[in-house]
Every structure is written in C-alpha cells, then in structure tokens.
PDB file of all heavy atoms in Angstrom:
ATOM      1  N   ARG C   1      -3.545  -0.720  17.325  1.00 94.00           N
ATOM      2  CA  ARG C   1      -2.638  -1.474  16.469  1.00 94.00           C
ATOM      3  C   ARG C   1      -3.408  -2.294  15.436  1.00 94.00           C
ATOM      4  O   ARG C   1      -2.936  -2.508  14.327  1.00 94.00           O
ATOM      5  CB  ARG C   1      -1.763  -2.399  17.324  1.00 94.00           C
ATOM      6  CG  ARG C   1      -0.525  -1.680  17.905  1.00 94.00           C
ATOM      7  CD  ARG C   1       0.638  -1.807  16.927  1.00 94.00           C
ATOM      8  NE  ARG C   1       1.723  -0.884  17.217  1.00 94.00           N
ATOM      9  CZ  ARG C   1       2.671  -1.074  18.119  1.00 94.00           C
ATOM     10  NH1 ARG C   1       2.646  -2.147  18.874  1.00 94.00           N
ATOM     11  NH2 ARG C   1       3.624  -0.188  18.275  1.00 94.00           N
ATOM     12  N   ARG C   2      -4.597  -2.786  15.811  1.00 95.00           N
ATOM     13  CA  ARG C   2      -5.404  -3.520  14.831  1.00 95.00           C
ATOM     14  C   ARG C   2      -5.746  -2.618  13.658  1.00 95.00           C
ATOM     15  O   ARG C   2      -5.580  -2.993  12.495  1.00 95.00           O
ATOM     16  CB  ARG C   2      -6.692  -4.026  15.478  1.00 95.00           C
ATOM     17  CG  ARG C   2      -6.514  -5.122  16.491  1.00 95.00           C
ATOM     18  CD  ARG C   2      -7.838  -5.431  17.162  1.00 95.00           C
ATOM     19  NE  ARG C   2      -7.658  -6.263  18.342  1.00 95.00           N
ATOM     20  CZ  ARG C   2      -8.597  -6.535  19.227  1.00 95.00           C
ATOM     21  NH1 ARG C   2      -9.824  -6.052  19.054  1.00 95.00           N
ATOM     22  NH2 ARG C   2      -8.348  -7.288  20.272  1.00 95.00           N
ATOM     23  N   GLY C   3      -6.243  -1.421  13.971  1.00 95.00           N
ATOM     24  CA  GLY C   3      -6.585  -0.478  12.909  1.00 95.00           C
ATOM     25  C   GLY C   3      -5.382  -0.120  12.065  1.00 95.00           C
ATOM     26  O   GLY C   3      -5.480   0.004  10.838  1.00 95.00           O
ATOM     27  N   ALA C   4      -4.218   0.042  12.722  1.00 95.00           N
ATOM     28  CA  ALA C   4      -2.994   0.365  11.990  1.00 95.00           C
ATOM     29  C   ALA C   4      -2.613  -0.767  11.045  1.00 95.00           C
ATOM     30  O   ALA C   4      -2.191  -0.529   9.905  1.00 95.00           O
ATOM     31  CB  ALA C   4      -1.859   0.637  12.973  1.00 95.00           C
ATOM     32  N   LEU C   5      -2.788  -2.010  11.499  1.00 96.00           N
ATOM     33  CA  LEU C   5      -2.464  -3.160  10.647  1.00 96.00           C
ATOM     34  C   LEU C   5      -3.395  -3.228   9.444  1.00 96.00           C
ATOM     35  O   LEU C   5      -2.954  -3.472   8.318  1.00 96.00           O
ATOM     36  CB  LEU C   5      -2.548  -4.453  11.457  1.00 96.00           C
ATOM     37  CG  LEU C   5      -2.224  -5.743  10.695  1.00 96.00           C
ATOM     38  CD1 LEU C   5      -0.807  -5.706  10.133  1.00 96.00           C
ATOM     39  CD2 LEU C   5      -2.400  -6.958  11.607  1.00 96.00           C
ATOM     40  N   PHE C   6      -4.684  -2.987   9.663  1.00 96.00           N
ATOM     41  CA  PHE C   6      -5.636  -2.995   8.541  1.00 96.00           C
ATOM     42  C   PHE C   6      -5.258  -1.934   7.511  1.00 96.00           C
ATOM     43  O   PHE C   6      -5.288  -2.194   6.296  1.00 96.00           O
ATOM     44  CB  PHE C   6      -7.058  -2.743   9.051  1.00 96.00           C
ATOM     45  CG  PHE C   6      -7.572  -3.780  10.019  1.00 96.00           C
ATOM     46  CD1 PHE C   6      -8.614  -3.474  10.895  1.00 96.00           C
ATOM     47  CD2 PHE C   6      -7.024  -5.046  10.064  1.00 96.00           C
ATOM     48  CE1 PHE C   6      -9.091  -4.421  11.786  1.00 96.00           C
ATOM     49  CE2 PHE C   6      -7.492  -6.004  10.956  1.00 96.00           C
ATOM     50  CZ  PHE C   6      -8.526  -5.682  11.825  1.00 96.00           C
ATOM     51  N   ASP C   7      -4.884  -0.737   8.001  1.00 96.00           N
ATOM     52  CA  ASP C   7      -4.486   0.337   7.082  1.00 96.00           C
ATOM     53  C   ASP C   7      -3.190  -0.006   6.353  1.00 96.00           C
ATOM     54  O   ASP C   7      -3.035   0.298   5.162  1.00 96.00           O
ATOM     55  CB  ASP C   7      -4.302   1.654   7.859  1.00 96.00           C
ATOM     56  CG  ASP C   7      -5.618   2.223   8.376  1.00 96.00           C
ATOM     57  OD1 ASP C   7      -6.682   1.844   7.836  1.00 96.00           O
ATOM     58  OD2 ASP C   7      -5.583   3.036   9.317  1.00 96.00           O
ATOM     59  N   ALA C   8      -2.268  -0.650   7.060  1.00 96.00           N
ATOM     60  CA  ALA C   8      -0.968  -0.975   6.462  1.00 96.00           C
ATOM     61  C   ALA C   8      -1.114  -1.970   5.317  1.00 96.00           C
ATOM     62  O   ALA C   8      -0.496  -1.803   4.256  1.00 96.00           O
ATOM     63  CB  ALA C   8      -0.027  -1.522   7.534  1.00 96.00           C
ATOM     64  N   VAL C   9      -1.914  -3.027   5.511  1.00 96.00           N
ATOM     65  CA  VAL C   9      -2.052  -4.017   4.432  1.00 96.00           C
ATOM     66  C   VAL C   9      -2.805  -3.402   3.253  1.00 96.00           C
ATOM     67  O   VAL C   9      -2.577  -3.777   2.096  1.00 96.00           O
ATOM     68  CB  VAL C   9      -2.733  -5.311   4.924  1.00 96.00           C
ATOM     69  CG1 VAL C   9      -1.890  -5.985   5.981  1.00 96.00           C
ATOM     70  CG2 VAL C   9      -4.142  -5.056   5.429  1.00 96.00           C
ATOM     71  N   ASP C  10      -3.694  -2.449   3.529  1.00 94.00           N
ATOM     72  CA  ASP C  10      -4.345  -1.726   2.433  1.00 94.00           C
ATOM     73  C   ASP C  10      -3.305  -0.978   1.602  1.00 94.00           C
ATOM     74  O   ASP C  10      -3.362  -0.959   0.370  1.00 94.00           O
ATOM     75  CB  ASP C  10      -5.367  -0.730   2.989  1.00 94.00           C
ATOM     76  CG  ASP C  10      -6.737  -1.361   3.200  1.00 94.00           C
ATOM     77  OD1 ASP C  10      -7.002  -2.425   2.610  1.00 94.00           O
ATOM     78  OD2 ASP C  10      -7.535  -0.797   3.965  1.00 94.00           O
ATOM     79  N   ALA C  11      -2.362  -0.330   2.299  1.00 94.00           N
ATOM     80  CA  ALA C  11      -1.340   0.455   1.610  1.00 94.00           C
ATOM     81  C   ALA C  11      -0.389  -0.427   0.807  1.00 94.00           C
ATOM     82  O   ALA C  11       0.061  -0.037  -0.269  1.00 94.00           O
ATOM     83  CB  ALA C  11      -0.555   1.288   2.624  1.00 94.00           C
ATOM     84  N   VAL C  12      -0.090  -1.616   1.321  1.00 94.00           N
ATOM     85  CA  VAL C  12       0.797  -2.530   0.600  1.00 94.00           C
ATOM     86  C   VAL C  12       0.146  -3.015  -0.683  1.00 94.00           C
ATOM     87  O   VAL C  12       0.782  -3.140  -1.730  1.00 94.00           O
ATOM     88  CB  VAL C  12       1.172  -3.732   1.493  1.00 94.00           C
ATOM     89  CG1 VAL C  12       1.880  -4.804   0.666  1.00 94.00           C
ATOM     90  CG2 VAL C  12       2.069  -3.289   2.636  1.00 94.00           C
ATOM     91  N   GLY C  13      -1.154  -3.269  -0.638  1.00 91.00           N
ATOM     92  CA  GLY C  13      -1.852  -3.852  -1.782  1.00 91.00           C
ATOM     93  C   GLY C  13      -1.781  -5.365  -1.711  1.00 91.00           C
ATOM     94  O   GLY C  13      -1.362  -5.943  -0.715  1.00 91.00           O
ATOM     95  N   GLY C  14      -2.168  -6.018  -2.762  1.00 91.00           N
ATOM     96  CA  GLY C  14      -2.149  -7.480  -2.756  1.00 91.00           C
ATOM     97  C   GLY C  14      -3.344  -8.047  -2.018  1.00 91.00           C
ATOM     98  O   GLY C  14      -4.333  -7.361  -1.750  1.00 91.00           O
ATOM     99  N   GLN C  15      -3.260  -9.310  -1.668  1.00 96.00           N
ATOM    100  CA  GLN C  15      -4.346 -10.004  -0.977  1.00 96.00           C
ATOM    101  C   GLN C  15      -3.866 -10.428   0.406  1.00 96.00           C
ATOM    102  O   GLN C  15      -2.756 -10.938   0.555  1.00 96.00           O
ATOM    103  CB  GLN C  15      -4.784 -11.234  -1.773  1.00 96.00           C
ATOM    104  CG  GLN C  15      -6.040 -11.920  -1.232  1.00 96.00           C
ATOM    105  CD  GLN C  15      -6.450 -13.101  -2.108  1.00 96.00           C
ATOM    106  OE1 GLN C  15      -5.703 -14.055  -2.269  1.00 96.00           O
ATOM    107  NE2 GLN C  15      -7.646 -13.019  -2.689  1.00 96.00           N
ATOM    108  N   THR C  16      -4.711 -10.229   1.408  1.00 97.00           N
ATOM    109  CA  THR C  16      -4.367 -10.587   2.778  1.00 97.00           C
ATOM    110  C   THR C  16      -5.448 -11.477   3.366  1.00 97.00           C
ATOM    111  O   THR C  16      -6.641 -11.190   3.236  1.00 97.00           O
ATOM    112  CB  THR C  16      -4.215  -9.328   3.659  1.00 97.00           C
ATOM    113  OG1 THR C  16      -3.239  -8.451   3.087  1.00 97.00           O
ATOM    114  CG2 THR C  16      -3.771  -9.710   5.064  1.00 97.00           C
ATOM    115  N   TRP C  17      -5.008 -12.554   4.021  1.00 98.00           N
ATOM    116  CA  TRP C  17      -5.899 -13.474   4.710  1.00 98.00           C
ATOM    117  C   TRP C  17      -5.693 -13.314   6.210  1.00 98.00           C
ATOM    118  O   TRP C  17      -4.565 -13.379   6.705  1.00 98.00           O
ATOM    119  CB  TRP C  17      -5.603 -14.916   4.313  1.00 98.00           C
ATOM    120  CG  TRP C  17      -5.872 -15.245   2.869  1.00 98.00           C
ATOM    121  CD1 TRP C  17      -5.359 -14.615   1.768  1.00 98.00           C
ATOM    122  CD2 TRP C  17      -6.696 -16.285   2.365  1.00 98.00           C
ATOM    123  NE1 TRP C  17      -5.821 -15.188   0.616  1.00 98.00           N
ATOM    124  CE2 TRP C  17      -6.639 -16.235   0.956  1.00 98.00           C
ATOM    125  CE3 TRP C  17      -7.468 -17.278   2.969  1.00 98.00           C
ATOM    126  CZ2 TRP C  17      -7.330 -17.120   0.136  1.00 98.00           C
ATOM    127  CZ3 TRP C  17      -8.157 -18.174   2.166  1.00 98.00           C
ATOM    128  CH2 TRP C  17      -8.096 -18.090   0.766  1.00 98.00           C
ATOM    129  N   PHE C  18      -6.782 -13.096   6.929  1.00 98.00           N
ATOM    130  CA  PHE C  18      -6.757 -13.014   8.383  1.00 98.00           C
ATOM    131  C   PHE C  18      -7.487 -14.232   8.949  1.00 98.00           C
ATOM    132  O   PHE C  18      -8.357 -14.812   8.295  1.00 98.00           O
ATOM    133  CB  PHE C  18      -7.487 -11.758   8.883  1.00 98.00           C
ATOM    134  CG  PHE C  18      -6.851 -10.453   8.505  1.00 98.00           C
ATOM    135  CD1 PHE C  18      -7.155  -9.832   7.298  1.00 98.00           C
ATOM    136  CD2 PHE C  18      -5.974  -9.814   9.365  1.00 98.00           C
ATOM    137  CE1 PHE C  18      -6.585  -8.615   6.950  1.00 98.00           C
ATOM    138  CE2 PHE C  18      -5.395  -8.595   9.031  1.00 98.00           C
ATOM    139  CZ  PHE C  18      -5.697  -7.994   7.825  1.00 98.00           C
ATOM    140  N   SER C  19      -7.160 -14.581  10.192  1.00 97.00           N
ATOM    141  CA  SER C  19      -7.929 -15.616  10.883  1.00 97.00           C
ATOM    142  C   SER C  19      -8.134 -15.209  12.330  1.00 97.00           C
ATOM    143  O   SER C  19      -7.333 -14.465  12.907  1.00 97.00           O
ATOM    144  CB  SER C  19      -7.218 -16.976  10.818  1.00 97.00           C
ATOM    145  OG  SER C  19      -6.099 -16.995  11.676  1.00 97.00           O
ATOM    146  N   GLY C  20      -9.222 -15.695  12.913  1.00 96.00           N
ATOM    147  CA  GLY C  20      -9.508 -15.396  14.304  1.00 96.00           C
ATOM    148  C   GLY C  20     -10.739 -16.141  14.780  1.00 96.00           C
ATOM    149  O   GLY C  20     -11.449 -16.777  13.988  1.00 96.00           O
ATOM    150  N   THR C  21     -10.986 -16.054  16.066  1.00 96.00           N
ATOM    151  CA  THR C  21     -12.158 -16.717  16.650  1.00 96.00           C
ATOM    152  C   THR C  21     -13.299 -15.752  16.915  1.00 96.00           C
ATOM    153  O   THR C  21     -14.452 -16.171  16.988  1.00 96.00           O
ATOM    154  CB  THR C  21     -11.776 -17.400  17.980  1.00 96.00           C
ATOM    155  OG1 THR C  21     -11.251 -16.405  18.879  1.00 96.00           O
ATOM    156  CG2 THR C  21     -10.718 -18.473  17.758  1.00 96.00           C
ATOM    157  N   ASP C  22     -12.995 -14.469  17.068  1.00 94.00           N
ATOM    158  CA  ASP C  22     -14.000 -13.470  17.442  1.00 94.00           C
ATOM    159  C   ASP C  22     -14.124 -12.415  16.352  1.00 94.00           C
ATOM    160  O   ASP C  22     -13.178 -11.665  16.088  1.00 94.00           O
ATOM    161  CB  ASP C  22     -13.601 -12.817  18.769  1.00 94.00           C
ATOM    162  CG  ASP C  22     -14.693 -11.927  19.348  1.00 94.00           C
ATOM    163  OD1 ASP C  22     -15.670 -11.630  18.623  1.00 94.00           O
ATOM    164  OD2 ASP C  22     -14.571 -11.540  20.515  1.00 94.00           O
ATOM    165  N   GLU C  23     -15.282 -12.351  15.743  1.00 94.00           N
ATOM    166  CA  GLU C  23     -15.490 -11.392  14.650  1.00 94.00           C
ATOM    167  C   GLU C  23     -15.339  -9.957  15.120  1.00 94.00           C
ATOM    168  O   GLU C  23     -14.971  -9.072  14.335  1.00 94.00           O
ATOM    169  CB  GLU C  23     -16.879 -11.616  14.035  1.00 94.00           C
ATOM    170  CG  GLU C  23     -17.084 -10.897  12.718  1.00 94.00           C
ATOM    171  CD  GLU C  23     -18.334 -11.354  11.996  1.00 94.00           C
ATOM    172  OE1 GLU C  23     -19.097 -12.165  12.570  1.00 94.00           O
ATOM    173  OE2 GLU C  23     -18.544 -10.908  10.844  1.00 94.00           O
ATOM    174  N   ASP C  24     -15.614  -9.697  16.401  1.00 94.00           N
ATOM    175  CA  ASP C  24     -15.498  -8.337  16.926  1.00 94.00           C
ATOM    176  C   ASP C  24     -14.063  -7.825  16.863  1.00 94.00           C
ATOM    177  O   ASP C  24     -13.834  -6.604  16.844  1.00 94.00           O
ATOM    178  CB  ASP C  24     -15.993  -8.281  18.375  1.00 94.00           C
ATOM    179  CG  ASP C  24     -17.511  -8.465  18.477  1.00 94.00           C
ATOM    180  OD1 ASP C  24     -18.198  -8.274  17.445  1.00 94.00           O
ATOM    181  OD2 ASP C  24     -17.988  -8.800  19.571  1.00 94.00           O
ATOM    182  N   ASP C  25     -13.081  -8.728  16.856  1.00 94.00           N
ATOM    183  CA  ASP C  25     -11.686  -8.303  16.762  1.00 94.00           C
ATOM    184  C   ASP C  25     -11.374  -7.648  15.420  1.00 94.00           C
ATOM    185  O   ASP C  25     -10.326  -7.003  15.283  1.00 94.00           O
ATOM    186  CB  ASP C  25     -10.743  -9.500  16.948  1.00 94.00           C
ATOM    187  CG  ASP C  25     -10.727 -10.020  18.374  1.00 94.00           C
ATOM    188  OD1 ASP C  25     -11.124  -9.267  19.284  1.00 94.00           O
ATOM    189  OD2 ASP C  25     -10.328 -11.188  18.570  1.00 94.00           O
ATOM    190  N   PHE C  26     -12.262  -7.818  14.446  1.00 95.00           N
ATOM    191  CA  PHE C  26     -12.006  -7.333  13.095  1.00 95.00           C
ATOM    192  C   PHE C  26     -12.941  -6.192  12.706  1.00 95.00           C
ATOM    193  O   PHE C  26     -13.159  -5.938  11.517  1.00 95.00           O
ATOM    194  CB  PHE C  26     -12.129  -8.493  12.109  1.00 95.00           C
ATOM    195  CG  PHE C  26     -11.142  -9.593  12.372  1.00 95.00           C
ATOM    196  CD1 PHE C  26     -11.466 -10.652  13.207  1.00 95.00           C
ATOM    197  CD2 PHE C  26      -9.879  -9.543  11.817  1.00 95.00           C
ATOM    198  CE1 PHE C  26     -10.553 -11.663  13.469  1.00 95.00           C
ATOM    199  CE2 PHE C  26      -8.954 -10.551  12.074  1.00 95.00           C
ATOM    200  CZ  PHE C  26      -9.287 -11.600  12.905  1.00 95.00           C
ATOM    201  N   THR C  27     -13.463  -5.514  13.701  1.00 93.00           N
ATOM    202  CA  THR C  27     -14.316  -4.356  13.444  1.00 93.00           C
ATOM    203  C   THR C  27     -13.557  -3.324  12.617  1.00 93.00           C
ATOM    204  O   THR C  27     -12.432  -2.947  12.938  1.00 93.00           O
ATOM    205  CB  THR C  27     -14.763  -3.719  14.775  1.00 93.00           C
ATOM    206  OG1 THR C  27     -15.490  -4.691  15.531  1.00 93.00           O
ATOM    207  CG2 THR C  27     -15.645  -2.503  14.511  1.00 93.00           C
ATOM    208  N   GLY C  28     -14.161  -2.877  11.539  1.00 92.00           N
ATOM    209  CA  GLY C  28     -13.529  -1.904  10.651  1.00 92.00           C
ATOM    210  C   GLY C  28     -12.824  -2.526   9.467  1.00 92.00           C
ATOM    211  O   GLY C  28     -12.403  -1.811   8.555  1.00 92.00           O
ATOM    212  N   LEU C  29     -12.675  -3.865   9.472  1.00 94.00           N
ATOM    213  CA  LEU C  29     -12.015  -4.544   8.356  1.00 94.00           C
ATOM    214  C   LEU C  29     -13.054  -4.963   7.323  1.00 94.00           C
ATOM    215  O   LEU C  29     -14.017  -5.661   7.635  1.00 94.00           O
ATOM    216  CB  LEU C  29     -11.270  -5.781   8.859  1.00 94.00           C
ATOM    217  CG  LEU C  29     -10.603  -6.647   7.781  1.00 94.00           C
ATOM    218  CD1 LEU C  29      -9.409  -5.924   7.171  1.00 94.00           C
ATOM    219  CD2 LEU C  29     -10.181  -7.997   8.355  1.00 94.00           C
TER     220      LEU C  29
END
C-alpha cells in the first residue's frame, strides 16, 4: 500500500508532503 500511495500521488501531480519517524518506511520515495 505504501508503494501504491507513492505511485498514486505521482499520477495526481502537484506537490505532496509526507511525515514520519522512520526513513525506512519511505523506501522507494
């Protein structure tokens, strides 16, 4: 689902801000 979300915001376009405590959760972003 993380990968799907990253792909989805890419498809929408615009600017997206993410936040988190663990950089590993964002592998591939």
Side-chain angles (χ1 to χ4, degrees):
R1 276 270 165 82
R2 291 174 193 170
L5 180 60
F6 299 158
D7 291 340
V9 297
D10 273 341
V12 170
Q15 188 178 61
T16 304
W17 295 56
F18 295 88
S19 73
T21 58
D22 189 348
E23 193 168 5
D24 290 341
D25 289 340
F26 299 91
T27 300
L29 176 70

